[in-house]
Amino acid sequence: MQQRNRYEPPHAQPLELEEPETSSGVEFPLRYAGFWRRFLAFWIDKTIFLPLAGIAYYFSEESRMFVLYLFAPSLLLGLFFNIYLVRRYGGTPGKLILKTRITLVDGSPVTTRAAILRYFVLFVLSEL
């Protein structure tokens, strides 16, 4: 009887994965943006909001009610930035400057529902 080496990896046939069907007609292979490209895009987006953050900081020191006044405009700006721009152009300005597009898994453009779900996670985590 032949003894099997218990440290040898198992011998299994690899699964054959099917190519995903693309409804958008994407012909080229998708390339994912790496960490540094996403990180830089994030900071470009933050830099865009820097003047608004400075104004908000100044007025929050002047009035206790400013945070309440700021809630609706900042919510609308967040919805515009993270849902409308992603749905319409495929990314925020930082991502578009770095030639990075946000797409669905199959490479098709982001739907409104997907953009809302994508932003919902960020919104919930930022409100904690």
Side-chain angles (χ1 to χ4, degrees):
M1 179 173 180
Q2 183 181 4
Q3 293 240 342
R4 185 173 164 252
N5 181 358
R6 61 181 166 176
Y7 299 109
E8 183 179 3
H11 298 288
Q13 296 296 327
L15 294 174
E16 292 187 26
L17 300 176
E18 296 179 13
E19 292 285 326
E21 295 181 19
T22 58
S23 59
S24 65
V26 175
E27 304 269 334
F28 52 89
L30 297 176
R31 289 185 21 210
Y32 294 98
F35 170 79
W36 291 110
R37 179 172 277 197
R38 292 172 190 247
F39 184 75
L40 186 58
F42 171 79
W43 282 105
I44 290 171
D45 291 338
K46 290 300 176 193
T47 303
I48 291 170
F49 283 113
L50 199 56
L52 295 174
I55 292 169
Y57 178 75
Y58 174 76
F59 284 110
S60 67
E61 294 292 319
E62 298 295 320
S63 168
R64 284 190 265 160
M65 296 297 290
F66 185 73
V67 175
L68 183 63
Y69 302 146
L70 186 65
F71 178 73
S74 65
L75 178 63
L76 291 174
L77 188 61
L79 292 173
F80 171 78
F81 200 77
N82 291 296
I83 294 176
Y84 176 75
L85 291 179
V86 169
R87 168 67 179 106
R88 176 78 168 97
Y89 299 107
T92 59
K95 286 188 175 51
L96 296 177
I97 288 170
L98 295 176
K99 296 181 173 64
T100 302
R101 292 248 178 220
I102 300 170
T103 63
L104 296 178
V105 175
D106 64 354
S108 60
V110 177
T111 62
T112 303
R113 180 177 183 266
I116 290 170
L117 291 174
R118 182 178 186 275
Y119 178 62
F120 181 73
V121 174
L122 180 65
F123 177 76
V124 169
L125 290 176
S126 68
E127 295 301 318
L128 293 179

